[in-house]
Amino acid sequence: MQKLNFYIGTILNPQNDQVCDFIPQGLLVTHKIGKGYVIKDLLPLKEGLLRYQKFMNKKNTTDFGHSLIMPGFFDMHFHWVQDDVRMMPKDSLLEWLEKYTFPTEAKFKNKTYALKKAQVFFKTLTEEGTIGGAIYSSIHEHALNYAIKKALGHFVVGNVLMNMNSPLELTQTEEESLELTKKLMKKHQQKFCFTPRFAITTTPRVMKKGAKLSDKHKCFKQTHLSETPQEIDFVISLYKKITGFEKVKSYTDIYQKTGMLGKRSLMGHGIHLSKKELLTLSKTQTALIHCPTSNAPLSEKGLGSGLFDLQKVEKYKVRWALGSDIGGGPFLSMFDVMRSFVHQHQKTGVKEATYVKALYRSTLAGAEILGIQKTSGNLNPGKEASFLVVPFSFRRIPTNPELFLKRLIDQHRKNREDYSKLVEMVYLKGDRVYFHKV
Ligand code: GUN
Ligand code: FE
């Protein structure tokens, strides 16, 4: 007989922008395949008992009451080395980088410091329910190694590459950047993500050579694109003076010319883009990572970079997912990112910004972009038994997933720190890796 486990609770299972399966009293059935547990079935409890009661016993059944069972989050853009700048003053992107972020990242040169930070950060990340995504590390080799070792789940990680317009202690030569890229790519293979910080700090030669290597080894590439108008102006004026780029018309053109676009490319932000740029991103299957809490006004603890043009991005069918952009974004919890997404877009009349969409874009959409949707991203049968348990205190459970998510998430909008306390348990492939009685 197969080894089965049973979990009783309220089940949410995102499928796409419009559809999220919702089972107010549900049964999740998992079975062991190889080393880990895989989802076998999910169904209403009544039907579940008819089918499985004969296999259920005290030992293999966990009743979460009506607590929510949902897939773990994918945070598709964040800087693990920026935990300490989340709450620093944010006047504007470039000033914030120079004044607070670069000095903070420079501290990771110290190995003992970096290891201690990694131990705390990645434990917290799991506790917040994030089990996959794309991570930026500092320029330092050991910091990336620690991140890959400590991050639990499905992550790609890259060391930022910085060769120009950077403080001395963070400036590498082109050769250093390329040698490190080769070395770390060889060591970590597809877990490694080629990460030129952005066109301001990374020379086109490094981008070109690294992008080629990444394509050859099927590694992901990530960088920042069109986050603020000031940044875009600087990028264009800079590249106009670089041989081969004199005629470049847009920020996206620069990344296209250097081979940075493609189906394994993640572009952070992409707020201020022309139709032509969106068309290029769409054609090349490049993904945009929308970071609403980071882009939010200063009054909401963001950098005030502007609002992602959701309607245009959808019109041009550009692939996209959500990210926290820690420390541009102030909080790690993807519940906070979902809330900010819905709140900011709905305020400007974009009714398509629903909680159901926010959940899909914080889970399965990330797995799809990383190409691992067959095994992760939601709770469909056949996928890994990786899920979160989230208690809630309202008695009458709304009957549709949109209202349910709104109720669950809106309650903490005034105390955003509280999102970090929402998750009570985290399961990875059937293993309970976090438990905290809420
Ligand atoms: N652009 C280049 N580097 C960064 C960074 O660390 N954070 C954000 N938000 N934007 C960037
Ligand atoms: Fe970022």
Side-chain angles (χ1 to χ4, degrees), residues 74-138:
F74 277 69
D75 183 344
M76 293 299 287
H77 179 120
F78 64 99
H79 304 251
W80 87 267
V81 288
Q82 292 182 13
D83 197 34
D84 289 342
V85 293
R86 296 181 295 114
M87 296 302 177
M88 296 281 189
K90 295 172 179 170
D91 311 321
S92 78
L93 169 69
L94 298 181
E95 277 111 304
W96 170 80
L97 283 175
E98 243 179 79
K99 262 201 222 162
Y100 306 106
T101 310
F102 291 162
T104 300
E105 290 191 16
K107 292 188 197 168
F108 285 78
K109 183 176 180 199
N110 180 305
K111 288 187 181 168
T112 317
Y113 176 84
L115 180 58
K116 260 196 196 147
K117 284 297 220 186
Q119 278 157 343
V120 175
F121 180 88
F122 288 103
K123 184 169 170 281
T124 311
L125 190 70
T126 306
E127 293 171 4
E128 304 262 0
T130 297
I131 62 164
I135 309 179
Y136 285 64
S137 195
S138 60

Side-chain angles (χ1 to χ4, degrees), residues 315-327:
K315 184 175 160 197
Y316 284 91
K317 298 191 165 51
V318 180
R319 304 162 80 209
W320 69 278
L322 286 167
S324 71
D325 192 30
I326 292 300

Side-chain angles (χ1 to χ4, degrees), residues 178 181-182 185 209-218:
L178 289 167
T181 298
K182 277 184 211 155
M185 201 179 275
K209 292 208 159 189
K212 216 170 180 182
L213 272 177
S214 310
D215 292 346
K216 190 173 159 198
H217 292 96
K218 296 196 164 47

Side-chain angles (χ1 to χ4, degrees), residues 77-82 97 101-102 104-106 108 134-145 147 156-164 166-167 169-174 176-178 180-181 184 192-199 201-203 206-207 222-224 260 325-326:
H77 179 120
F78 64 99
H79 304 251
W80 87 267
V81 288
Q82 292 182 13
L97 283 175
T101 310
F102 291 162
T104 300
E105 290 191 16
F108 285 78
I135 309 179
Y136 285 64
S137 195
S138 60
I139 63 163
H140 314 97
E141 180 178 353
H142 55 265
L144 176 125
N145 289 333
V156 295
V157 193
N159 51 310
V160 289
L161 302 168
M162 300 169 75
N163 320 107
M164 56 180 184
S166 306
E169 65 275 21
L170 292 179
T171 303
Q172 310 156 303
T173 64
E174 290 185 328
E176 280 168 347
S177 290
L178 289 167
L180 201 51
T181 298
L184 292 170
F192 175 79
C193 184
F194 177 59
T195 309
R197 181 169 209 125
F198 62 162
T201 56
T202 317
T203 61
V206 168
M207 289 201 269
Q222 63 180 349
T223 189
H224 295 87
M260 280 299 293
D325 192 30
I326 292 300

